[in-house]
Amino acid sequence: MAKCGLSIELQQVDPALQGGDKVRGHVRVDADADVRCRSITVYAGWRTRGKGNVAQELGPKVELFSGDLAAGQSMRFPFEVDAMRWPPSYNGYQFSVEHFIETTADIPWAFDPKVSTPIHVLPGETRETDFPQPIVLGKFPQVAVASVFSVMGMVTMFMMLGPNPIVLAIAPVGIMLVIFGLLLTFKWLPKMYVGQVTYELKPQRLCPGESLSGSFSIRPNRTIKPEYIRLRITATETCISGSGSNAKTHRHELFQRDIMLADHPELAGDKTIRYEINTRLPPVAAYSIKLTSNELQWLTELRVGIPGLVDWKDRRALTVVPPSDLGAAAKLGSALDAAKYGDAAGADVPMDGYDLDASPGAPGGDAAITFDETVGHIWSIHDQPDQVEVLVDAVAGLPMNISARIERRFLGGGSDDPEINPDEHLVWAQYASPPLLMSLYVPQSMGDDFDRAHSAIWRGQGEIVGWNRRDGRLQIRVYA
Amino acid sequence: MIPTTIGLGRQFTNAIRDRALPRSIGSLLMTEKSWLPFSHWNLRYNPFGELTPSERAAVAVFDVRPIVQQLAQKQTAVQFIGPCGRGKTTRLLALQRHLAIPSTATIYLPPLSWAVPRWWYKTLQVVGAPIIIDEAQRMPLPVRKMIFRRRVPLVLGTHRDLTGPLRRAGYQVFTYAVGPQNDARHVAAVANARLSAARLTPAEVPQLSIEDAQRLVARFGDDLREIESFLYHQVQQQVGCNGQMRFVD
């Protein structure tokens, strides 16, 4: 049992807190018994959470106190620390990066109490070394595969036949044949099939939501009929848990978009065909991150599907960096929403395919708030009327697609509800799930529709106008 | 007064903030951990991911007192035997945390360490009482003999029973099989300890019921690592969902 309790009280945290910014607050210490405290320190830090081994970095420790505390004594120490600069807060599927302010007391011969509170940190100043260095992905795997197969082949031959002179003479030839066969299969034959190719993709360092463009030109030596020519963009989280023989790699594709440049094309020999590439990255806060055992990597792969042979492909890494404009960084969606921006094979993405200020499928910024979501949030706090009112005030007046199970219609004026207009009917309704009660103010012209809709689900346009605290009903004005 | 417990989705808060609401509401939305995907369950993070060694020790559901008593006896060795993922390392970490005395020494032997002289040297450099050795079966014979000859209390996590060599070195050996005790009650306790450790505020957090734990045991047996991995995905797939947390479909 710790002899003293610690707590952190942060001062008003800037919603747009950036990496490297100051975080201020107080550490409160409550001693349960007489205790000698070697030190009470506070520091900022980040830590990964998720499937991968925990990576973390702690900032400089600021000592707040050192000495004796008497039983029952409470002390409060102001502090100021710098939030860690990189990486920013991140919420992915396989891992997240959590920033925090932590305080600990070093007490001899007892558990050291430790308390931390999470903070949200947007990207601040970035440096070149923050991002994984792009590597040429095309060559490394082939060389690695060839080497591994060669060594395995040699070991197998020695094991089966022993180290006799014939084996020693044949082994190098065998290895060369293996390497030649692998290069022929994976590199030369696909290259011979496609002929001359020119592939450009720019920029390879870009921000979320930015456009990615380029071109792919192909000039086969003879007429060819590839199955497809496709560009695939992926964002993949890779985490490693455990170590050594217990190590396990966990991969999750946050985002995948296939851009079909050509489907079963017939490409004439000695004729150059050029395909333009125009797409955008999803506007989500999923930057290229490489931490110990936890990585988020963006890749592009251009692939020409060759019937009966290994496909020709060119893989390139993208470096996705935070936007320099803090406002733009704050508006980015969650990385977990990235999948919503992916599209099925065959769909091309126009340059102006995304409204960066809106959620997927939503026409405008305000419409990003859906009625269903609003009801969910209200329901989660419906037993705290003060908070419901804050929420309802925040969303009042936004046009929404309303969905409600009709319960009862009151004839115009038959209610003491102060919100209702003289030319409106009051209709009691309930949301299907969760069962949030609602009062609908319906134009008289639509009154009959609601009579007939008893117990049925009604859908239409309207806006939230308030919260009836007495009855616990959400008040909604239905549009004519 | 600013309310204190609202947890909203990110797009929702962004959209509201963009409407230039009064400062108090804007502050409310950001200071109340709305960016955390599990804040509406009062969780700071997905509880079933990897933890730091000290966090793992803190959530261990394991009574260390009998072991501590056994270690107080002269020339005692305690070994935890079991397959991967049953809780051997967690027990060693819990013991290390509980002992919390400067003389305790701990070492984890990585794969192939038996073949690497640097690790022989590292193992022999470990001085303490007791000595906690994880993956003790990876000690090469000469190193093992030299460690056992020291006659200090030992706590071993191992896949292979080392009773014979320990007895020959004069040790009194206590062996604990790790795994058979991982029944539904234990699984629920482990999961709930993790859920509590991920608590965001002092309020309640979701709890795994015994019924759900029974279903998990029926499916994964005593493999806690597999159960935690399954629960991680179950929880992660519910990001953005309202209502009660579902542990087993």
Side-chain angles (χ1 to χ4, degrees), chain A residues 15 49-52 91 93 98 116 244-245 330 332 384 387 394, chain B residues 3 5-6 10 12 19 27 30 35 44 50 55 111 229 232-233 236:
Chain A
R49 294 288 181 190
K51 292 295 285 176
N91 285 313
Y93 183 87
E98 181 198 53
S116 82
S245 56
L332 292 172
Q384 302 162 58
Q387 298 198 5
Chain B
T5 56
I6 298 178
R10 184 185 163 85
F12 197 81
R19 301 186 72 208
S27 314
M30 290 313 292
W35 73 90
R44 189 166 156 173
E50 290 289 318
E55 289 170 337
S229 179
Y232 179 88
H233 292 291
Q236 202 63 43

PDB file of all heavy atoms in Angstrom, chain A residues 15 49-52 91 93 98 116 244-245 330 332 384 387 394, chain B residues 3 5-6 10 12 19 27 30 35 44 50 55 111 229 232-233 236:
ATOM      1  N   PRO A  15      -7.205  22.824 -26.683  1.00  0.00           N
ATOM      2  CA  PRO A  15      -7.671  21.747 -27.562  1.00  0.00           C
ATOM      3  C   PRO A  15      -6.729  21.540 -28.746  1.00  0.00           C
ATOM      4  O   PRO A  15      -6.721  20.489 -29.357  1.00  0.00           O
ATOM      5  CB  PRO A  15      -9.038  22.220 -28.039  1.00  0.00           C
ATOM      6  CG  PRO A  15      -9.406  23.372 -27.200  1.00  0.00           C
ATOM      7  CD  PRO A  15      -8.177  23.912 -26.562  1.00  0.00           C
ATOM      8  N   ARG A  49      -0.112   1.782 -27.241  1.00  0.00           N
ATOM      9  CA  ARG A  49      -1.076   0.836 -26.679  1.00  0.00           C
ATOM     10  C   ARG A  49      -1.568  -0.024 -27.821  1.00  0.00           C
ATOM     11  O   ARG A  49      -1.834   0.497 -28.896  1.00  0.00           O
ATOM     12  CB  ARG A  49      -2.279   1.590 -26.093  1.00  0.00           C
ATOM     13  CG  ARG A  49      -1.941   2.448 -24.896  1.00  0.00           C
ATOM     14  CD  ARG A  49      -1.656   1.593 -23.705  1.00  0.00           C
ATOM     15  NE  ARG A  49      -1.357   2.356 -22.511  1.00  0.00           N
ATOM     16  CZ  ARG A  49      -0.892   1.791 -21.410  1.00  0.00           C
ATOM     17  NH1 ARG A  49      -0.670   0.507 -21.351  1.00  0.00           N
ATOM     18  NH2 ARG A  49      -0.650   2.518 -20.350  1.00  0.00           N
ATOM     19  N   GLY A  50      -1.716  -1.297 -27.587  1.00  0.00           N
ATOM     20  CA  GLY A  50      -2.242  -2.145 -28.643  1.00  0.00           C
ATOM     21  C   GLY A  50      -1.558  -3.482 -28.693  1.00  0.00           C
ATOM     22  O   GLY A  50      -1.042  -3.978 -27.682  1.00  0.00           O
ATOM     23  N   LYS A  51      -1.519  -4.073 -29.877  1.00  0.00           N
ATOM     24  CA  LYS A  51      -1.031  -5.435 -30.021  1.00  0.00           C
ATOM     25  C   LYS A  51       0.489  -5.543 -29.977  1.00  0.00           C
ATOM     26  O   LYS A  51       1.024  -6.615 -29.751  1.00  0.00           O
ATOM     27  CB  LYS A  51      -1.528  -6.024 -31.350  1.00  0.00           C
ATOM     28  CG  LYS A  51      -3.027  -6.265 -31.419  1.00  0.00           C
ATOM     29  CD  LYS A  51      -3.499  -7.304 -30.441  1.00  0.00           C
ATOM     30  CE  LYS A  51      -3.137  -8.702 -30.876  1.00  0.00           C
ATOM     31  NZ  LYS A  51      -3.531  -9.677 -29.836  1.00  0.00           N
ATOM     32  N   GLY A  52       1.174  -4.446 -30.264  1.00  0.00           N
ATOM     33  CA  GLY A  52       2.634  -4.507 -30.310  1.00  0.00           C
ATOM     34  C   GLY A  52       3.256  -4.332 -28.937  1.00  0.00           C
ATOM     35  O   GLY A  52       2.608  -3.810 -28.017  1.00  0.00           O
ATOM     36  N   ASN A  91      -4.840   7.138 -32.912  1.00  0.00           N
ATOM     37  CA  ASN A  91      -5.739   6.042 -32.553  1.00  0.00           C
ATOM     38  C   ASN A  91      -5.944   5.156 -33.760  1.00  0.00           C
ATOM     39  O   ASN A  91      -6.690   5.504 -34.667  1.00  0.00           O
ATOM     40  CB  ASN A  91      -7.097   6.582 -32.079  1.00  0.00           C
ATOM     41  CG  ASN A  91      -7.001   7.146 -30.694  1.00  0.00           C
ATOM     42  OD1 ASN A  91      -6.441   6.522 -29.795  1.00  0.00           O
ATOM     43  ND2 ASN A  91      -7.505   8.350 -30.508  1.00  0.00           N
ATOM     44  N   TYR A  93      -5.954   0.777 -35.215  1.00  0.00           N
ATOM     45  CA  TYR A  93      -6.588  -0.490 -34.851  1.00  0.00           C
ATOM     46  C   TYR A  93      -5.618  -1.382 -34.071  1.00  0.00           C
ATOM     47  O   TYR A  93      -5.935  -1.823 -32.974  1.00  0.00           O
ATOM     48  CB  TYR A  93      -7.063  -1.221 -36.113  1.00  0.00           C
ATOM     49  CG  TYR A  93      -7.798  -2.494 -35.803  1.00  0.00           C
ATOM     50  CD1 TYR A  93      -9.165  -2.485 -35.563  1.00  0.00           C
ATOM     51  CD2 TYR A  93      -7.134  -3.708 -35.699  1.00  0.00           C
ATOM     52  CE1 TYR A  93      -9.843  -3.642 -35.235  1.00  0.00           C
ATOM     53  CE2 TYR A  93      -7.799  -4.880 -35.372  1.00  0.00           C
ATOM     54  CZ  TYR A  93      -9.160  -4.839 -35.146  1.00  0.00           C
ATOM     55  OH  TYR A  93      -9.819  -5.989 -34.809  1.00  0.00           O
ATOM     56  N   GLU A  98      -0.472   7.111 -27.113  1.00  0.00           N
ATOM     57  CA  GLU A  98      -1.129   7.874 -26.061  1.00  0.00           C
ATOM     58  C   GLU A  98      -0.122   8.817 -25.409  1.00  0.00           C
ATOM     59  O   GLU A  98       0.922   8.384 -24.938  1.00  0.00           O
ATOM     60  CB  GLU A  98      -1.667   6.895 -25.010  1.00  0.00           C
ATOM     61  CG  GLU A  98      -2.393   7.569 -23.884  1.00  0.00           C
ATOM     62  CD  GLU A  98      -2.538   6.668 -22.665  1.00  0.00           C
ATOM     63  OE1 GLU A  98      -1.527   6.130 -22.191  1.00  0.00           O
ATOM     64  OE2 GLU A  98      -3.662   6.523 -22.189  1.00  0.00           O
ATOM     65  N   SER A 116      -1.028   8.967 -13.904  1.00  0.00           N
ATOM     66  CA  SER A 116      -0.862   9.683 -15.176  1.00  0.00           C
ATOM     67  C   SER A 116      -2.218  10.061 -15.726  1.00  0.00           C
ATOM     68  O   SER A 116      -3.229   9.419 -15.423  1.00  0.00           O
ATOM     69  CB  SER A 116      -0.077   8.832 -16.170  1.00  0.00           C
ATOM     70  OG  SER A 116      -0.896   7.911 -16.805  1.00  0.00           O
ATOM     71  N   GLY A 244      11.805 -13.028 -29.902  1.00  0.00           N
ATOM     72  CA  GLY A 244      12.417 -14.306 -30.239  1.00  0.00           C
ATOM     73  C   GLY A 244      11.425 -15.277 -30.830  1.00  0.00           C
ATOM     74  O   GLY A 244      10.641 -14.916 -31.696  1.00  0.00           O
ATOM     75  N   SER A 245      11.444 -16.525 -30.326  1.00  0.00           N
ATOM     76  CA  SER A 245      10.561 -17.542 -30.896  1.00  0.00           C
ATOM     77  C   SER A 245       9.102 -17.278 -30.540  1.00  0.00           C
ATOM     78  O   SER A 245       8.192 -17.830 -31.151  1.00  0.00           O
ATOM     79  CB  SER A 245      10.968 -18.929 -30.393  1.00  0.00           C
ATOM     80  OG  SER A 245      10.955 -18.927 -28.978  1.00  0.00           O
ATOM     81  N   ALA A 330      -6.094  19.482 -37.183  1.00  0.00           N
ATOM     82  CA  ALA A 330      -7.149  19.250 -36.188  1.00  0.00           C
ATOM     83  C   ALA A 330      -8.426  18.754 -36.838  1.00  0.00           C
ATOM     84  O   ALA A 330      -9.231  18.071 -36.209  1.00  0.00           O
ATOM     85  CB  ALA A 330      -7.413  20.543 -35.425  1.00  0.00           C
ATOM     86  N   LEU A 332      -8.637  16.708 -39.402  1.00  0.00           N
ATOM     87  CA  LEU A 332      -8.533  15.381 -40.018  1.00  0.00           C
ATOM     88  C   LEU A 332      -9.356  14.362 -39.234  1.00  0.00           C
ATOM     89  O   LEU A 332      -9.461  14.447 -38.015  1.00  0.00           O
ATOM     90  CB  LEU A 332      -7.072  14.943 -40.069  1.00  0.00           C
ATOM     91  CG  LEU A 332      -6.166  15.720 -41.016  1.00  0.00           C
ATOM     92  CD1 LEU A 332      -4.719  15.306 -40.827  1.00  0.00           C
ATOM     93  CD2 LEU A 332      -6.597  15.512 -42.458  1.00  0.00           C
ATOM     94  N   GLN A 384     -28.174  12.738 -16.962  1.00  0.00           N
ATOM     95  CA  GLN A 384     -27.485  13.949 -16.488  1.00  0.00           C
ATOM     96  C   GLN A 384     -28.009  15.152 -17.276  1.00  0.00           C
ATOM     97  O   GLN A 384     -27.410  15.560 -18.276  1.00  0.00           O
ATOM     98  CB  GLN A 384     -25.979  13.804 -16.693  1.00  0.00           C
ATOM     99  CG  GLN A 384     -25.391  12.589 -15.971  1.00  0.00           C
ATOM    100  CD  GLN A 384     -24.027  12.201 -16.515  1.00  0.00           C
ATOM    101  OE1 GLN A 384     -23.118  12.999 -16.501  1.00  0.00           O
ATOM    102  NE2 GLN A 384     -23.906  10.980 -17.001  1.00  0.00           N
ATOM    103  N   GLN A 387     -25.861  18.078 -18.684  1.00  0.00           N
ATOM    104  CA  GLN A 387     -24.985  17.760 -19.799  1.00  0.00           C
ATOM    105  C   GLN A 387     -25.781  17.573 -21.083  1.00  0.00           C
ATOM    106  O   GLN A 387     -25.338  17.954 -22.163  1.00  0.00           O
ATOM    107  CB  GLN A 387     -24.183  16.500 -19.480  1.00  0.00           C
ATOM    108  CG  GLN A 387     -23.302  16.703 -18.268  1.00  0.00           C
ATOM    109  CD  GLN A 387     -22.189  15.680 -18.174  1.00  0.00           C
ATOM    110  OE1 GLN A 387     -22.016  14.864 -19.050  1.00  0.00           O
ATOM    111  NE2 GLN A 387     -21.425  15.750 -17.102  1.00  0.00           N
ATOM    112  N   ALA A 394     -25.731  22.579 -28.428  1.00  0.00           N
ATOM    113  CA  ALA A 394     -24.647  22.547 -29.416  1.00  0.00           C
ATOM    114  C   ALA A 394     -25.137  22.086 -30.790  1.00  0.00           C
ATOM    115  O   ALA A 394     -24.609  22.505 -31.810  1.00  0.00           O
ATOM    116  CB  ALA A 394     -23.535  21.638 -28.934  1.00  0.00           C
TER     117      ALA A 394
ATOM    118  N   PRO B   3     -19.512  20.522 -17.287  1.00  0.00           N
ATOM    119  CA  PRO B   3     -19.788  19.123 -16.994  1.00  0.00           C
ATOM    120  C   PRO B   3     -18.534  18.270 -17.236  1.00  0.00           C
ATOM    121  O   PRO B   3     -17.619  18.679 -17.933  1.00  0.00           O
ATOM    122  CB  PRO B   3     -20.890  18.758 -17.976  1.00  0.00           C
ATOM    123  CG  PRO B   3     -21.423  20.055 -18.461  1.00  0.00           C
ATOM    124  CD  PRO B   3     -20.337  21.047 -18.352  1.00  0.00           C
ATOM    125  N   THR B   5     -18.311  14.485 -17.754  1.00  0.00           N
ATOM    126  CA  THR B   5     -18.224  13.073 -18.149  1.00  0.00           C
ATOM    127  C   THR B   5     -18.645  12.772 -19.575  1.00  0.00           C
ATOM    128  O   THR B   5     -18.861  11.618 -19.915  1.00  0.00           O
ATOM    129  CB  THR B   5     -19.091  12.204 -17.221  1.00  0.00           C
ATOM    130  OG1 THR B   5     -20.414  12.718 -17.254  1.00  0.00           O
ATOM    131  CG2 THR B   5     -18.561  12.179 -15.824  1.00  0.00           C
ATOM    132  N   ILE B   6     -18.763  13.765 -20.392  1.00  0.00           N
ATOM    133  CA  ILE B   6     -19.216  13.471 -21.750  1.00  0.00           C
ATOM    134  C   ILE B   6     -18.073  12.884 -22.573  1.00  0.00           C
ATOM    135  O   ILE B   6     -16.975  13.371 -22.548  1.00  0.00           O
ATOM    136  CB  ILE B   6     -19.725  14.736 -22.443  1.00  0.00           C
ATOM    137  CG1 ILE B   6     -20.911  15.282 -21.673  1.00  0.00           C
ATOM    138  CG2 ILE B   6     -20.116  14.457 -23.875  1.00  0.00           C
ATOM    139  CD1 ILE B   6     -21.458  16.554 -22.244  1.00  0.00           C
ATOM    140  N   ARG B  10     -15.032  11.725 -32.420  1.00  0.00           N
ATOM    141  CA  ARG B  10     -14.169  12.805 -32.879  1.00  0.00           C
ATOM    142  C   ARG B  10     -14.851  13.692 -33.918  1.00  0.00           C
ATOM    143  O   ARG B  10     -14.799  14.915 -33.838  1.00  0.00           O
ATOM    144  CB  ARG B  10     -12.892  12.217 -33.471  1.00  0.00           C
ATOM    145  CG  ARG B  10     -11.923  13.292 -33.880  1.00  0.00           C
ATOM    146  CD  ARG B  10     -10.726  12.691 -34.581  1.00  0.00           C
ATOM    147  NE  ARG B  10     -10.033  13.739 -35.301  1.00  0.00           N
ATOM    148  CZ  ARG B  10      -9.123  14.532 -34.762  1.00  0.00           C
ATOM    149  NH1 ARG B  10      -8.819  14.403 -33.517  1.00  0.00           N
ATOM    150  NH2 ARG B  10      -8.520  15.462 -35.470  1.00  0.00           N
ATOM    151  N   PHE B  12     -17.892  14.178 -34.387  1.00  0.00           N
ATOM    152  CA  PHE B  12     -18.965  14.897 -33.716  1.00  0.00           C
ATOM    153  C   PHE B  12     -18.407  16.137 -33.019  1.00  0.00           C
ATOM    154  O   PHE B  12     -18.899  17.240 -33.177  1.00  0.00           O
ATOM    155  CB  PHE B  12     -19.586  13.946 -32.692  1.00  0.00           C
ATOM    156  CG  PHE B  12     -20.934  14.364 -32.214  1.00  0.00           C
ATOM    157  CD1 PHE B  12     -22.050  14.098 -32.983  1.00  0.00           C
ATOM    158  CD2 PHE B  12     -21.088  15.007 -31.008  1.00  0.00           C
ATOM    159  CE1 PHE B  12     -23.303  14.469 -32.532  1.00  0.00           C
ATOM    160  CE2 PHE B  12     -22.331  15.380 -30.561  1.00  0.00           C
ATOM    161  CZ  PHE B  12     -23.449  15.105 -31.322  1.00  0.00           C
ATOM    162  N   ARG B  19     -18.544  24.998 -35.190  1.00  0.00           N
ATOM    163  CA  ARG B  19     -19.659  25.933 -35.173  1.00  0.00           C
ATOM    164  C   ARG B  19     -19.361  27.111 -34.237  1.00  0.00           C
ATOM    165  O   ARG B  19     -20.235  27.879 -33.900  1.00  0.00           O
ATOM    166  CB  ARG B  19     -20.939  25.227 -34.713  1.00  0.00           C
ATOM    167  CG  ARG B  19     -21.307  24.067 -35.610  1.00  0.00           C
ATOM    168  CD  ARG B  19     -22.635  23.492 -35.221  1.00  0.00           C
ATOM    169  NE  ARG B  19     -23.711  24.399 -35.604  1.00  0.00           N
ATOM    170  CZ  ARG B  19     -24.873  24.477 -34.985  1.00  0.00           C
ATOM    171  NH1 ARG B  19     -25.112  23.732 -33.944  1.00  0.00           N
ATOM    172  NH2 ARG B  19     -25.797  25.297 -35.395  1.00  0.00           N
ATOM    173  N   SER B  27     -14.071  23.730 -24.674  1.00  0.00           N
ATOM    174  CA  SER B  27     -13.159  23.151 -23.691  1.00  0.00           C
ATOM    175  C   SER B  27     -13.697  21.823 -23.194  1.00  0.00           C
ATOM    176  O   SER B  27     -12.974  20.851 -23.065  1.00  0.00           O
ATOM    177  CB  SER B  27     -13.009  24.072 -22.488  1.00  0.00           C
ATOM    178  OG  SER B  27     -12.822  25.370 -22.916  1.00  0.00           O
ATOM    179  N   MET B  30     -12.941  18.966 -25.552  1.00  0.00           N
ATOM    180  CA  MET B  30     -11.579  18.478 -25.663  1.00  0.00           C
ATOM    181  C   MET B  30     -11.024  17.980 -24.333  1.00  0.00           C
ATOM    182  O   MET B  30     -10.284  17.028 -24.297  1.00  0.00           O
ATOM    183  CB  MET B  30     -10.659  19.580 -26.205  1.00  0.00           C
ATOM    184  CG  MET B  30     -10.908  19.898 -27.655  1.00  0.00           C
ATOM    185  SD  MET B  30     -11.044  18.444 -28.710  1.00  0.00           S
ATOM    186  CE  MET B  30      -9.385  17.827 -28.657  1.00  0.00           C
ATOM    187  N   TRP B  35     -11.213  12.481 -27.492  1.00  0.00           N
ATOM    188  CA  TRP B  35     -10.419  11.887 -28.566  1.00  0.00           C
ATOM    189  C   TRP B  35     -10.128  10.413 -28.302  1.00  0.00           C
ATOM    190  O   TRP B  35      -9.655   9.702 -29.159  1.00  0.00           O
ATOM    191  CB  TRP B  35      -9.109  12.666 -28.724  1.00  0.00           C
ATOM    192  CG  TRP B  35      -8.143  12.410 -27.619  1.00  0.00           C
ATOM    193  CD1 TRP B  35      -7.190  11.442 -27.575  1.00  0.00           C
ATOM    194  CD2 TRP B  35      -8.054  13.101 -26.370  1.00  0.00           C
ATOM    195  NE1 TRP B  35      -6.511  11.503 -26.377  1.00  0.00           N
ATOM    196  CE2 TRP B  35      -7.012  12.505 -25.624  1.00  0.00           C
ATOM    197  CE3 TRP B  35      -8.743  14.177 -25.819  1.00  0.00           C
ATOM    198  CZ2 TRP B  35      -6.653  12.949 -24.360  1.00  0.00           C
ATOM    199  CZ3 TRP B  35      -8.376  14.607 -24.557  1.00  0.00           C
ATOM    200  CH2 TRP B  35      -7.350  13.997 -23.849  1.00  0.00           C
ATOM    201  N   ARG B  44      -9.421   4.129 -20.947  1.00  0.00           N
ATOM    202  CA  ARG B  44      -8.413   5.005 -21.530  1.00  0.00           C
ATOM    203  C   ARG B  44      -7.845   4.408 -22.815  1.00  0.00           C
ATOM    204  O   ARG B  44      -7.424   5.097 -23.711  1.00  0.00           O
ATOM    205  CB  ARG B  44      -7.320   5.159 -20.469  1.00  0.00           C
ATOM    206  CG  ARG B  44      -6.298   6.156 -20.741  1.00  0.00           C
ATOM    207  CD  ARG B  44      -5.524   6.414 -19.462  1.00  0.00           C
ATOM    208  NE  ARG B  44      -4.213   6.927 -19.784  1.00  0.00           N
ATOM    209  CZ  ARG B  44      -3.356   7.374 -18.889  1.00  0.00           C
ATOM    210  NH1 ARG B  44      -3.663   7.367 -17.613  1.00  0.00           N
ATOM    211  NH2 ARG B  44      -2.187   7.831 -19.254  1.00  0.00           N
ATOM    212  N   GLU B  50      -0.897  -5.245 -25.377  1.00  0.00           N
ATOM    213  CA  GLU B  50       0.335  -5.495 -24.628  1.00  0.00           C
ATOM    214  C   GLU B  50       0.499  -4.446 -23.533  1.00  0.00           C
ATOM    215  O   GLU B  50       0.072  -3.297 -23.703  1.00  0.00           O
ATOM    216  CB  GLU B  50       1.543  -5.436 -25.569  1.00  0.00           C
ATOM    217  CG  GLU B  50       1.618  -6.583 -26.545  1.00  0.00           C
ATOM    218  CD  GLU B  50       1.978  -7.907 -25.887  1.00  0.00           C
ATOM    219  OE1 GLU B  50       2.868  -7.916 -25.026  1.00  0.00           O
ATOM    220  OE2 GLU B  50       1.364  -8.933 -26.231  1.00  0.00           O
ATOM    221  N   GLU B  55       3.108  -2.751 -15.612  1.00  0.00           N
ATOM    222  CA  GLU B  55       1.639  -2.819 -15.698  1.00  0.00           C
ATOM    223  C   GLU B  55       1.168  -4.267 -15.638  1.00  0.00           C
ATOM    224  O   GLU B  55       0.151  -4.583 -15.026  1.00  0.00           O
ATOM    225  CB  GLU B  55       1.172  -2.185 -17.015  1.00  0.00           C
ATOM    226  CG  GLU B  55       1.324  -0.681 -17.049  1.00  0.00           C
ATOM    227  CD  GLU B  55       1.092  -0.105 -18.431  1.00  0.00           C
ATOM    228  OE1 GLU B  55       1.247  -0.837 -19.432  1.00  0.00           O
ATOM    229  OE2 GLU B  55       0.782   1.086 -18.520  1.00  0.00           O
ATOM    230  N   PRO B 111      15.595 -16.425 -27.006  1.00  0.00           N
ATOM    231  CA  PRO B 111      15.862 -17.646 -27.772  1.00  0.00           C
ATOM    232  C   PRO B 111      17.311 -17.657 -28.247  1.00  0.00           C
ATOM    233  O   PRO B 111      17.882 -16.600 -28.530  1.00  0.00           O
ATOM    234  CB  PRO B 111      14.907 -17.540 -28.968  1.00  0.00           C
ATOM    235  CG  PRO B 111      13.908 -16.523 -28.590  1.00  0.00           C
ATOM    236  CD  PRO B 111      14.521 -15.618 -27.597  1.00  0.00           C
ATOM    237  N   SER B 229      -5.988 -11.860 -26.783  1.00  0.00           N
ATOM    238  CA  SER B 229      -5.923 -11.419 -28.177  1.00  0.00           C
ATOM    239  C   SER B 229      -7.330 -11.344 -28.780  1.00  0.00           C
ATOM    240  O   SER B 229      -7.677 -10.382 -29.463  1.00  0.00           O
ATOM    241  CB  SER B 229      -5.056 -12.405 -28.968  1.00  0.00           C
ATOM    242  OG  SER B 229      -4.994 -12.022 -30.299  1.00  0.00           O
ATOM    243  N   TYR B 232      -9.088  -8.385 -27.400  1.00  0.00           N
ATOM    244  CA  TYR B 232      -8.580  -7.136 -27.981  1.00  0.00           C
ATOM    245  C   TYR B 232      -9.363  -6.802 -29.256  1.00  0.00           C
ATOM    246  O   TYR B 232      -9.833  -5.675 -29.437  1.00  0.00           O
ATOM    247  CB  TYR B 232      -7.087  -7.275 -28.309  1.00  0.00           C
ATOM    248  CG  TYR B 232      -6.518  -6.014 -28.930  1.00  0.00           C
ATOM    249  CD1 TYR B 232      -6.011  -4.997 -28.133  1.00  0.00           C
ATOM    250  CD2 TYR B 232      -6.524  -5.823 -30.315  1.00  0.00           C
ATOM    251  CE1 TYR B 232      -5.520  -3.833 -28.689  1.00  0.00           C
ATOM    252  CE2 TYR B 232      -6.038  -4.651 -30.880  1.00  0.00           C
ATOM    253  CZ  TYR B 232      -5.534  -3.670 -30.057  1.00  0.00           C
ATOM    254  OH  TYR B 232      -5.067  -2.504 -30.622  1.00  0.00           O
ATOM    255  N   HIS B 233      -9.501  -7.800 -30.112  1.00  0.00           N
ATOM    256  CA  HIS B 233     -10.203  -7.548 -31.379  1.00  0.00           C
ATOM    257  C   HIS B 233     -11.688  -7.277 -31.137  1.00  0.00           C
ATOM    258  O   HIS B 233     -12.284  -6.436 -31.810  1.00  0.00           O
ATOM    259  CB  HIS B 233     -10.004  -8.715 -32.334  1.00  0.00           C
ATOM    260  CG  HIS B 233      -8.588  -8.830 -32.821  1.00  0.00           C
ATOM    261  ND1 HIS B 233      -8.023  -7.916 -33.666  1.00  0.00           N
ATOM    262  CD2 HIS B 233      -7.606  -9.719 -32.536  1.00  0.00           C
ATOM    263  CE1 HIS B 233      -6.753  -8.236 -33.897  1.00  0.00           C
ATOM    264  NE2 HIS B 233      -6.485  -9.333 -33.215  1.00  0.00           N
ATOM    265  N   GLN B 236     -11.851  -3.746 -29.963  1.00  0.00           N
ATOM    266  CA  GLN B 236     -11.450  -2.800 -31.011  1.00  0.00           C
ATOM    267  C   GLN B 236     -12.530  -2.648 -32.074  1.00  0.00           C
ATOM    268  O   GLN B 236     -12.730  -1.570 -32.622  1.00  0.00           O
ATOM    269  CB  GLN B 236     -10.141  -3.302 -31.635  1.00  0.00           C
ATOM    270  CG  GLN B 236      -9.332  -2.240 -32.334  1.00  0.00           C
ATOM    271  CD  GLN B 236      -8.839  -1.139 -31.408  1.00  0.00           C
ATOM    272  OE1 GLN B 236      -8.373  -1.411 -30.316  1.00  0.00           O
ATOM    273  NE2 GLN B 236      -8.959   0.106 -31.841  1.00  0.00           N
TER     274      GLN B 236
END
